[in-house]
Amino acid sequence: MMPGCAPATDDSLADDASSAAQDLAQLRARGVLRRAVEAFGESCGESHAARAEADDHAPLDHDAVDTVLGGGLARGAVHEILAEEAGDCGAAHGFALALALRLNRGGAMLWIQEERARAEDGAPYPQGIAMMAGKTMAGNVTAKNAFDPARIIMVRTRDARSTLWAMEQGLRCPGLDTVLAEVTGLAGACDLTASRRLVLAAREGGATGLLVQAGSGARDLKIASAARTRWLIGAHPSRRGLAGEPGRAAWRLHLARHRGGREGRWLREWDHEHGRFSAIGAGEGAAASRSGASQALSGNLPALPHQRTDQARGVAAG
């Protein structure tokens, strides 16, 4: 035994062995992910960063929004999406998916979900993704530029650190259009240094990063970040369909931070039939809400025909 060294106990040896096993398992998992991402990138051809510079923005289909953003949402950059309130998590995820669809250029999407985020917000709903992507449940294409959900690569991570690492690896992959990552909180996870690493990876690979925070994110608006934009998203009442069916996904958009300097607030909805954003009724949604053209689905809606069968029989019998 070396002088000044305490003898090792069975407990300390067991702890060291357990820690070493965890480190080895994490290294193996990272190696598998790295090889999978690299192999997928090789099969998808040239890097998006090598494409024409004229294709460096994805229009959001609204002159005011696109003007503020300098032509649309910047590709090869990182954008943060936060829920306005805890109940707006679904809206934030839906908006992130809509952005990913607008950013699509024929490549694939890497969707990374932290286990805690999955526990809080649930797993992605395949049928909902297909509908927003321009496909029916039967697989029929409804949108002109429909995105095939089969091109979404789903990855689950143990914690925020692993999520950010996987996101960085994905952003460097030339075969990916977007990398959508869910974390439980920006504070303590994605600081200025971590966000700079993501930005550099996006510039090198050409993919666009969408970092979504699970849970209320309004409290994290002051966190320093190198991301190009930071959005605060709230759910907006959707307009019901002609038969009373659920309407299009609708949001209150708040561009709370923009490295271009300008910010803004808008109301937009997702037109899944054409794969684009659109205005919410007349007067950009505000007038529509006052006139009743935009109604919450939780209101008193007429029952669908198959729900009135028993009621009709009862009236006839009486």
Side-chain angles (χ1 to χ4, degrees), residues 122-156:
Y125 183 55
Q127 286 79 3
I129 295 175
M131 185 187 73
M132 288 192 66
K135 289 195 172 186
T136 65
M137 293 182 65
N140 300 321
V141 177
T142 59
K144 181 179 180 181
N145 297 318
F147 175 80
D148 187 358
R151 298 193 65 79
I152 299 178
I153 305 171
M154 301 297 301
V155 173
R156 292 178 61 181

Side-chain angles (χ1 to χ4, degrees), residues 76-146:
V78 176
H79 306 276
E80 296 172 350
I81 301 169
L82 289 68
E84 191 173 73
E85 298 179 1
D88 295 320
C89 293
H93 288 82
F95 178 67
L97 176 59
L99 289 181
L101 296 173
R102 289 300 287 143
L103 290 162
N104 176 47
R105 293 181 295 186
M109 179 196 313
L110 177 63
W111 193 322
I112 308 166
Q113 190 174 44
E114 182 185 335
E115 288 186 354
R116 184 178 172 187
R118 183 185 181 91
E120 291 185 2
D121 300 336
Y125 183 55
Q127 286 79 3
I129 295 175
M131 185 187 73
M132 288 192 66
K135 289 195 172 186
T136 65
M137 293 182 65
N140 300 321
V141 177
T142 59
K144 181 179 180 181
N145 297 318

Side-chain angles (χ1 to χ4, degrees), residues 19-35:
S19 178
Q22 292 178 1
D23 292 342
L24 181 59
Q26 188 173 19
L27 288 174
R28 287 176 176 172
R30 291 185 173 186
V32 171
L33 177 60
R34 181 183 288 109
R35 289 193 296 273

